[in-house]
Amino acid sequence: MTRKETITTLAVIGLACVSTCFGAQNVLSNGSMELGDGSVVTYEDQPAHWARYGNTIERSGSMNLVPAEGGFALKAFSGTNETGAYQDVAVVSGDMVTISANLYTMSTDQISGDAQAGLKLEFLDDNYGVVSTETTFVLTEESAADTWIPASIGPIAVPSGATIARIVCVWQWFESAGGAGFWDDAQLTINGGANQLLNGDFELAHTIEANPFGIADWTGFNDQGKSQDESYHGATSVKMGMTADYSGVFQDFGILEEGDRILIKAKAYQPSTAPLASGDRVGLKLEFSTTEALPPVENLPFNQTATPDAWEQINISTTGLEVPEGVYGARIVMLYMGDGDTTGSIHFDSAHAEVDSLPGTNLLLNPSFEYGVGGDNGIDDWTEFNTPGLSWAQMSAFEVTPHDGYTTMKASGSTWAGIWQEIAVTPGDELSVSAYLMTSSSDQFVSSTGFAGVKVEWMAPPIPGNVDIGSSADDNTVTSSSATDEWIDLEIDFTMPAGTKAYGRFVNLAARGSGADGVVYIDACEAVVMNRFDGADADGDNDADLVDFSEFQRCYSGDGINPLKWNCTVFDYDEDDDVDLIDWGYAGPRLTGPGAE
């Protein structure tokens, strides 16, 4: 019997749950970065083919030497004590290497202090270790301004053990510095031959593949893009570099609630040909954000046209306002807004908030403002807000005939004031809010632009802190000390703390330390809520149908065959890093059909 026939037979038999049943649901799309066109973006301030370090060196259109019809050079200025741009060329022992460039400083921004600019020639071995170094500085505060000054090193023989020649356009300062310097017409020749540098005139801008949405379903920023250089699953991955302080791609995957366990995973590859430098970090980051900021709902029609001495009911909704997804509470606000020429006051009474699941029940405490001593924050169960010294909101007894009880809430002044109270609500509830407002003829509200009414502000529960690269006990970060030329497992396993609820975001993040030329490839990303679904939902569509069954067949390995294939965590019910008959014993009986949750 074939493996497929075995699984199909077990689907008919229907094995029972092997232990407490918690199913998993995949919540990430395009985790292996196969979909999308990998669109390209241009960074005008970065020169193509040159790696940069420090924070004050850029491609600039302020000055140019070559070509005559061009318009760009490399510019550096004071920031970090050393900054530069470099390019590597392969060499062999005994080759004669010469580097050269022309440097310039403008009289309107002349180099000053102890700053100096020039060229450095480094010879490196296969592991990027420095074998020897030669440096020349030709630009200082003593240099002539507004003229191009040549600089060169060599010819120098490539020393034994060196395989790389590196030309560096370098800017240094020690105690104080000002102004700026420029480089153009950079060259590196071997044995007197042709220039080996790419973009030695700095005319080409740096282009990288970027989103949105060069990689489908992922949003990217800075130095990242779809790549075919290395891949763990399929033909492509995302390549992240170090030319910006932070780079990466991210995808939002919906709401997580108290007790939800989210497992995010990826594979990372650091090539030995472009390893990370000290302080560089690449890895997984799990971010949380509050349920989306929802605009308040308000009805503020009460103004100076209101009939004095008559109570007017102001409703947010008579038929019910649906509580949005992700909301756990509502702030009910009695709102007053005056202006510079406002006189008089407005009274509030008989506030009411009701949900359709509890018909006839007012969820507000002290809704007619009967309890409390009055004055600043003197109304029980309500919290006052105002502009101190300009507006006030307080309990008013017997000033006017109340709509209900003996007292009202009174507001006046030339700017905003009011009180609020929070109530618990459930998404999908129909919420109705109202209050009665009145202005008296003896203290009539008169205001050219002032108004008052009722308002609902939606509230979301607290969110957990982010799990950043380098901040978790989980293995979620690649550094310069990590392995090269092999795929490294990255993982964050996080359970939402009690009382929290938040949107989740899966981030592949690169943070630059001291280097500018290292890269890391990320592939095979997964995000699985381990207790979301009664079964195994591989495509995140809230059912367990033939699509999911097909994925199970692809993932099936048998007992003890490790590691899991990409996107198979959702089927690993007993979390033993394989997909075998025990896992099928859980998933098989829970197959439903399309659209059946």
Side-chain angles (χ1 to χ4, degrees):
M1 182 178 289
T2 66
R3 177 176 296 170
K4 180 175 180 181
E5 289 168 341
T6 301
I7 296 173
T8 305
T9 302
L10 288 171
V12 176
I13 296 173
L15 297 180
C17 239
V18 295
S19 61
T20 304
C21 296
F22 289 103
Q25 184 175 45
N26 179 37
V27 291
L28 200 67
S29 300
N30 192 28
S32 68
M33 315 293 177
E34 302 306 307
L35 305 178
D37 59 7
S39 57
V40 175
V41 67
T42 300
Y43 288 87
E44 294 293 343
D45 66 343
Q46 298 182 26
H49 306 294
W50 291 84
R52 303 179 302 161
Y53 64 95
N55 60 5
T56 53
I57 192 158
E58 63 190 19
R59 175 175 176 264
S60 171
S62 300
M63 191 51 57
N64 177 69
L65 176 62
V66 294
E69 67 276 11
F72 292 90
L74 184 71
K75 176 183 178 182
F77 48 96
S78 298
T80 52
N81 289 95
E82 181 173 319
T83 190
Y86 61 89
Q87 191 173 148
D88 293 344
V89 175
V91 292
V92 297
S93 179
D95 279 344
M96 301 300 293
V97 176
T98 302
I99 63 170
S100 64
N102 287 272
L103 284 82
Y104 188 99
T105 186
M106 297 187 294
S107 57
T108 54
D109 190 25
Q110 189 165 357
I111 187 173
S112 63
D114 60 10
Q116 54 185 2
L119 293 177
K120 182 189 298 185
L121 174 59
E122 292 182 332
F123 291 106
L124 312 174
D125 60 25
D126 284 335
N127 295 315
Y128 288 87
V130 177
V131 178
S132 67
T133 301
E134 295 287 338
T135 305
T136 181
F137 291 101
V138 299
L139 197 62
T140 69
E141 68 174 0
E142 303 297 328
S143 301
D146 302 326
T147 185
W148 286 98
I149 300 172
S152 64
I153 297 175
I156 295 178
V158 176
S160 176
T163 58
I164 299 167
R166 172 175 291 179
I167 179 176
V168 188
C169 300
V170 59
W171 169 282
Q172 285 184 348
W173 63 278
F174 302 94
E175 295 181 358
S176 65
F182 296 83
W183 292 257
D184 208 346
D185 194 21
Q187 298 195 33
L188 184 154
T189 62
I190 300 174
N191 300 324
N195 186 10
Q196 299 297 306
L197 297 180
L198 300 173
N199 195 30
D201 55 11
F202 306 103
E203 297 302 304
L204 299 179
H206 179 50
T207 59
I208 61 173
E209 302 193 34
N211 297 297
F213 294 111
I215 305 175
D217 301 310
W218 294 87
T219 302
F221 55 97
N222 295 331
D223 192 353
Q224 48 67 44
K226 191 173 181 180
S227 173
Q228 296 184 11
D229 295 347
E230 302 289 345
S231 65
Y232 181 85
H233 180 273
T236 58
S237 64
V238 61
K239 177 182 179 181
M240 297 193 297
M242 292 291 159
T243 60
D245 288 340
Y246 294 98
S247 302
V249 294
F250 64 86
Q251 185 176 148
D252 296 328
F253 54 78
I255 293 174
L256 297 172
E257 303 187 28
E258 170 183 337
D260 277 345
R261 179 186 168 206
I262 179 72
L263 182 63
I264 70 172
K265 304 168 71 174
K267 300 281 188 179
Y269 186 95
Q270 177 181 198
S272 58
T273 54
L276 300 180
S278 175
D280 294 348
R281 294 171 295 144
V282 175
L284 297 182
K285 182 179 182 183
L286 179 59
E287 291 185 348
F288 299 100
S289 61
T290 186
T291 48
E292 62 188 46
L294 296 169
V297 182
E298 57 191 19
N299 188 17
L300 308 169
F302 197 90
N303 55 37
Q304 65 179 4
T305 65
T307 302
D309 303 321
W311 285 100
E312 179 182 346
Q313 187 180 37
I314 307 298
N315 295 287
I316 285 287
S317 175
T318 56
T319 59
L321 177 70
E322 183 172 349
V323 178
E325 185 67 31
V327 165
Y328 82 103
R331 176 173 290 178
I332 311 302
V333 185
M334 306 291 113
L335 181 63
Y336 166 95
M337 181 65 76
D339 60 25
D341 62 2
T342 296
T343 58
S345 61
I346 296 176
H347 295 260
F348 294 73
D349 207 354
S350 301
H352 190 88
E354 179 180 322
V355 292
D356 60 342
S357 58
L358 295 170
T361 301
N362 189 356
L363 299 178
L364 295 173
L365 301 175
N366 194 20
S368 64
F369 314 107
E370 300 302 303
Y371 306 107
V373 297
D376 290 343
N377 282 317
I379 304 177
D380 289 356
D381 304 306
W382 294 86
T383 300
E384 177 183 312
F385 61 92
N386 64 3
T387 302
L390 296 178
S391 296
W392 53 274
Q394 64 178 25
M395 187 178 291
S396 166
F398 310 115
E399 273 193 39
V400 299
T401 302
H403 184 267
D404 179 49
Y406 298 95
T407 61
T408 69
M409 190 277 286
K410 174 184 174 183
S412 66
S414 60
T415 183
W416 45 266
I419 54 176
W420 55 265
Q421 185 177 148
E422 294 175 354
I423 62 172
V425 293
T426 302
D429 277 348
E430 297 290 333
L431 174 65
S432 299
V433 176
S434 64
Y436 283 85
L437 279 68
M438 187 263 278
T439 184
S440 67
S441 55
S442 60
D443 190 27
Q444 187 171 351
F445 178 74
V446 178
S447 177
S448 59
T449 62
F451 53 82
V454 291
K455 179 180 182 180
V456 174
E457 297 175 347
W458 303 117
M459 301 164 57
I463 64 174
N466 297 330
V467 183
D468 207 344
I469 55 176
S471 68
S472 169
D474 293 310
D475 184 13
N476 68 332
T477 307
V478 175
T479 67
S480 59
S481 61
S482 300
T484 60
D485 299 334
E486 65 180 67
W487 287 98
I488 302 168
D489 290 316
L490 305 180
E491 179 178 302
I492 295 175
D493 190 342
F494 184 85
T495 299
M496 294 287 286
T500 60
K501 187 174 184 178
Y503 283 98
R505 172 172 287 180
F506 186 119
V507 187
N508 294 307
L509 182 66
R512 181 172 63 188
S514 61
D517 60 341
V519 299
V520 170
Y521 301 87
I522 303 286
D523 202 355
C525 300
E526 295 184 68
V528 180
V529 183
M530 302 300 289
N531 57 331
R532 168 71 57 86
F533 189 78
D534 185 20
D537 181 13
D539 56 357
D541 63 350
N542 291 311
D543 63 33
D545 57 14
L546 291 179
V547 172
D548 303 296
F549 175 62
S550 174
E551 283 297 287
F552 187 95
Q553 289 181 301
R554 181 184 68 83
C555 291
Y556 187 83
S557 61
D559 182 31
I561 307 301
N562 312 108
L564 286 172
K565 299 175 183 177
W566 169 70
N567 229 27
C568 296
T569 302
V570 70
F571 297 113
D572 187 14
Y573 165 64
D574 56 356
E575 297 190 49
D576 62 350
D577 206 29
D578 64 27
V579 178
D580 57 15
L581 292 180
I582 291 176
D583 303 303
W584 179 249
Y586 175 76
R590 288 166 174 76
L591 288 174
T592 56
E597 298 187 18

